[in-house]
């Protein structure tokens, strides 16, 4: 069945129902690699698919045109989930011309050798296909240096590559054919795990799109569903996420050895919740770091707990902090806690890392020797109170 976005514009991508790990990010609902076919005087493909899906991709293209008649292939981004299919396409159909940014051309040569027929384009360049025109807009570092988007003004259609995507395999291709909660959940998880550290750049690009006064009535990303009913919804969400707007919510991320740090986590959760602020414990051995990052995105407060093991942070907590440091969420209150036996370095080490992430560290941290006693529990209650006051006083 042909999937048509606009007159003569089709989805010809691939559905990866079984993908559960996208370079370390858990993709519980699978993924899609979206590719778009524009049938005009110059027949054009926008983006490819991951290498194992070449057959599925060519099969979809063949339902519409003979792939040998494709004139142009636009490579918006070189990461192999989009470009992995390009060498095979060029091998079978060597007449095609590829268009990408200068950075992408260099990257494609590193991945696949210099045999691909690539011409470069830059922001402001256009490519006339016949009735339709492609406008190119580079978006360097959102999320790779080579990234760009392609806009078709005649259709008010933005082919946004990774931006505005979600990892979600589905039979429906459009937002009005899918569960809204599920789409926004996956879009938020995608932003939190791939884009949150690029938030200042995303703000700049959203402003640029607004200054260019691009009329957009459909956004077709390269992953997940196509926003045709309400593209404004995802643009608004990106604006909010990139401004670090968050809920009055605290997440208590921890791991535990003999349940003392877990007791501390539960004391904090109950104290914060009893003050009327949403709170949630997230044990690291039971929750994947990519699921936790989604909760970090919409929480105003983060508390991190670790027992001291071998004079350092417990390994699962250290793993999470390393991930957090790379993704660098901002404008959040943070603190640390944890149990120890004789030296208690973990809490201090966590605090150092929270400073490195540039979070707003609100407390020197609470330590409990072996098992939290009354005095240590009372320090936890003070920390909970401090967090609640910070959140109540925070102005957006
Ligand atoms: Fe979907 Fe950056 O690749």
């Amino acid at each position: 069945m042909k999937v048509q976005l606009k007159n003569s514009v089709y989805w010809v991508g691939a559905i990866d129902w079984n993908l559960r790990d996208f370079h370390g990010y858990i993709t519980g609902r699978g993924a899609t690699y979206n590719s778009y076919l524009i049938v005009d005087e110059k027949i054009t493909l926008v983006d490819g698919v991951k290498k194992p899906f070449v057959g599925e991709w060519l099969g979809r293209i063949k339902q519409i045109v003979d792939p040998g008649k494709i004139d142009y292939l636009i490579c918006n981004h070189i990461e192999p989930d989009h470009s992995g299919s390009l060498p095979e396409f060029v091998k079978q159909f060597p007449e095609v011309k590829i268009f990408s940014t200068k950075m992408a051309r260099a990257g494609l040569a590193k991945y696949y050798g210099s045999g691909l027929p690539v011409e470069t384009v830059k922001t402001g360049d256009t490519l006339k296909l016949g009735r339709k025109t492609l406008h190119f807009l580079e978006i360097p570092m959102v999320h790779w240096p080579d990234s760009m988007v392609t806009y078709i003004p005649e259709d008010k259609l933005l082919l946004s590559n990774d931006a505005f995507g979600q990892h979600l395999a589905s039979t429906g291709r459009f937002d009005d054919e899918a569960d809204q909660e599920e789409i926004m959940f996956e879009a938020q998880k995608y932003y939190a795990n791939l884009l949150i550290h690029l938030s200042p750049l995303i703000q700049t690009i959203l402003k640029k799109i607004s200054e260019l006064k691009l009329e957009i009535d459909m956004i077709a990303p390269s992953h997940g569903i196509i926003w045709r009913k309400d593209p404004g919804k995802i643009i608004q969400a990106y604006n909010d996420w990139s401004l670090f707007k968050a809920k009055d919510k605290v997440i208590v991320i921890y791991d535990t050895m003999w349940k003392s740090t877990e007791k501390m986590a539960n004391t904090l959760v109950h104290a914060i919740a009893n003050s009327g602020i949403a709170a949630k414990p997230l044990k690291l051995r039971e929750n994947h770091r990519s699921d936790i990052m989604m909760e970090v995105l919409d929480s105003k407060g983060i508390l991190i707990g670790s027992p001291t093991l071998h004079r350092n942070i417990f390994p699962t907590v250290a793993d999470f902090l390393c991930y957090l440091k790379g993704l660098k969420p901002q404008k959040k209150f943070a603190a640390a806690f944890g149990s120890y036996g004789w030296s208690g370095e973990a809490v201090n080490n966590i605090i150092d890392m929270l400073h490195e992430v540039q979070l707003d560290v609100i407390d020197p941290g609470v330590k409990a020797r072996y098992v939290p006693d009354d005095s240590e529990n009372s320090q936890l209650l003070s920390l909970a109170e401090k967090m609640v006051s910070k959140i109540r006083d925070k102005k957006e």
Side-chain angles (χ1 to χ4, degrees), residues 18-50:
N18 297 318
L19 186 81
R20 291 292 177 271
D21 184 327
F22 188 89
H23 53 56
Y25 156 6
I26 296 298
T27 49
R29 292 184 169 103
T32 68
Y33 313 108
N34 298 339
S35 168
Y36 300 100
L37 178 68
I38 305 160
V39 182
D40 204 333
E41 286 165 33
K42 293 292 184 189
I43 302 176
T44 302
L45 263 179
V46 178
D47 291 322
V49 298
K50 204 171 171 181

Side-chain angles (χ1 to χ4, degrees), residues 23-26 193 284 287-294 319-320 323:
H23 53 56
Y25 156 6
I26 296 298
N193 282 279
L284 276 157
N287 293 277
H288 194 266
R289 67 176 100 79
S290 54
D291 289 317
I292 296 180
M293 270 316 297
M294 198 192 80
D319 168 275
F320 178 74
Y323 196 59

Side-chain angles (χ1 to χ4, degrees), residues 96-113:
V96 75
K97 263 191 210 166
I98 298 175
F99 292 86
S100 73
T101 63
K102 199 171 162 189
M103 291 297 285
R105 183 168 68 175
L108 288 169
K110 286 291 282 180
Y111 272 118
Y112 311 114

Side-chain angles (χ1 to χ4, degrees), residues 22-23 77 79-82 143-144 161-162 167 190 222-223:
F22 188 89
H23 53 56
H77 172 38
E79 198 166 358
D81 51 323
H82 310 290
H143 68 137
W144 278 24
N161 193 263
D162 278 339
H167 284 312
Y190 183 99
S222 56
H223 296 293

